[in-house]
Amino acid sequence: MSAAPGTNGVLVDRYGRVARDLRVSLTDKCNLRCTYCMPAEGLPWLAGPELLTDEEIVRLVRVAVEWLGVTEVRFTGGEPLIRPGLVGIVTAVAALQPRPRISLTTNGIGLDRAAPALSAAGLDRVNVSLDTLDADRFTRLTRRPRLDAVLAGLAGAAAAGLSPVKINSVLMRGVNEDEAPALLRFALDHDYQLRIIEQMPLDAQHGWDRATMVTAEEILASLRTAFDLSPDPAERGAAPAETWLVDGGPARVGVIASVTRPFCGDCDRTRLTADGQVRACLFATEESDLRAALRTGADDDELARRWRTAMWGKRAGHGIDDPTFLQPTRPMSAIGG
């Protein structure tokens, strides 16, 4: 068993997992209203004073990198591109020593305009959410007619050198489960990397139903109707996606089977919400408040100690298959991907 919190500089839990990948939510707001994420009218957004300031975000990321051994930082939301200070935040994080790898998860709207500045600031790559290539389906799914904007964002990211450009797709039964081959062909044609994700119980409406979820086995079966898939010989490590060689490689496709093939035993992630709460797991039902400590004068050592303590309590797994599983109160848009 690993040492108790406070005795070393990393974010280790009682099962020996070390968190080196930090996901930072910059806002809970989004400019889409995806049916599997939030209701059409949106959600009660965090009030301005509740949100971390740009300077507070950078300070906490610095503590994670300099004090706690974090080597990768992913900015998420909500939709992080609507955060006014995004470029400045990326610039400051890219200046940290040691420099972490920096990525962004976005819905892609406005990315074509933002990509050059983000690349110049130090952003390394992006993940773009895209669940369908059909304009009508896109409008029904997101409640916004913005497919062209997302496609432009993908192209803009690639042109700005934010590669590899990854596409995140969620398949839903009766909605878009037939699109796996088309999404992979689109990704291959544009040199993007596709990741198909099992739908998770993180919707604001708490309407998720495992019985209607498109499973990893179904995703792979659908892909195999058009492509030859073989196991990727590369070491997976802590990556959430299990990857497959497409038609012998070198192209790959990934499937993130958080529900049916959980990878909790290799998890290396820690999460910071837009209002300064540490979450040890995407599905955690408890949080640890760093914002209050930061705003009442805690020094870096104290912030690091609190973060280590929060991670020490991380559970062995998300427990979705446990009859006692409770969906987190916060939806994905408020937690960050």
Side-chain angles (χ1 to χ4, degrees):
M1 181 175 291
S2 301
T7 60
N8 57 50
V10 297
L11 290 170
V12 66
D13 65 36
R14 67 189 69 196
Y15 301 98
R17 297 168 298 191
V18 177
R20 301 194 183 280
D21 183 334
L22 170 61
R23 308 293 173 94
V24 183
S25 175
L26 298 180
T27 177
D28 59 330
K29 295 179 180 178
C30 187
N31 45 11
L32 295 180
R33 295 291 182 270
C34 296
T35 55
Y36 58 84
C37 185
M38 66 176 70
E41 65 273 15
L43 296 166
W45 310 123
L46 291 167
E50 297 179 71
L51 293 169
L52 293 175
T53 66
D54 294 358
E55 293 75 17
E56 289 171 335
I57 289 170
V58 172
R59 182 180 173 196
L60 290 176
V61 174
R62 180 178 59 76
V63 168
V65 170
E66 294 180 356
W67 288 72
L68 300 170
V70 162
T71 58
E72 298 193 27
V73 177
R74 170 88 62 87
F75 292 114
T76 70
E79 175 44 54
L81 288 179
I82 66 177
R83 175 92 186 201
L86 175 59
V87 171
I89 291 170
V90 171
T91 299
V93 171
L96 296 176
Q97 294 296 328
R99 184 197 189 282
R101 292 182 292 275
I102 308 170
S103 58
L104 179 81
T105 294
T106 170
N107 63 29
I109 296 174
L111 182 57
D112 54 328
R113 298 185 299 274
L118 287 170
S119 179
L123 187 68
D124 295 309
R125 65 170 192 83
V126 294
N127 285 41
V128 178
S129 299
L130 177 64
D131 303 319
T132 178
L133 295 168
D134 181 273
D136 290 337
R137 278 185 180 177
F138 185 93
T139 300
R140 290 196 300 272
L141 265 172
T142 68
R143 303 186 178 100
R144 301 289 188 274
R146 304 301 305 277
L147 176 59
D148 287 348
V150 177
L151 298 180
L154 283 163
L162 297 174
S163 59
V165 175
K166 295 185 179 181
I167 295 175
N168 293 343
S169 301
V170 176
L171 299 185
M172 290 150 284
R173 200 175 306 283
V175 179
N176 65 336
E177 79 269 35
D178 61 325
E179 283 202 65
L183 286 163
L184 180 52
R185 174 54 58 197
F186 171 77
L188 296 175
D189 287 347
H190 292 83
D191 200 26
Y192 305 145
Q193 294 184 8
L194 177 66
R195 299 290 185 265
I196 303 180
I197 307 170
E198 288 182 338
Q199 186 181 1
M200 294 178 283
L202 291 167
D203 59 306
Q205 305 93 309
H206 287 211
W208 179 86
D209 183 353
R210 179 166 182 153
T212 63
M213 180 191 71
V214 180
T215 67
E217 285 301 322
E218 293 173 296
I219 293 166
L220 291 169
S222 178
L223 290 171
R224 285 185 170 121
T225 64
F227 302 94
D228 177 66
L229 303 183
S230 55
D232 188 348
E235 179 66 33
R236 178 178 177 179
E242 183 177 7
T243 53
W244 304 79
L245 298 180
V246 180
D247 294 335
R252 291 169 168 82
V253 63
V255 177
I256 300 178
S258 300
V259 179
T260 64
R261 300 180 185 179
F263 39 88
C264 303
D266 294 314
C267 181
D268 68 343
R269 285 167 290 288
T270 181
R271 299 174 186 277
L272 183 67
T273 66
D275 56 347
Q277 310 301 304
V278 167
R279 296 179 65 89
C281 172
L282 185 61
F283 298 95
T285 54
E286 60 281 321
E287 300 175 334
S288 299
D289 188 2
L290 290 187
R291 183 190 64 196
L294 189 154
R295 292 182 178 177
T296 53
D299 60 16
D300 290 352
D301 181 66
E302 173 65 11
L303 293 171
R305 185 192 66 78
R306 289 174 179 250
W307 207 325
R308 285 194 294 266
T309 299
M311 293 305 295
W312 183 252
K314 184 172 183 172
R315 297 178 181 179
H318 54 48
I320 290 175
D321 284 330
D322 192 306
T324 64
F325 173 77
L326 294 175
Q327 184 171 333
T329 302
R330 292 208 205 210
M332 176 68 93
S333 62
I335 295 171

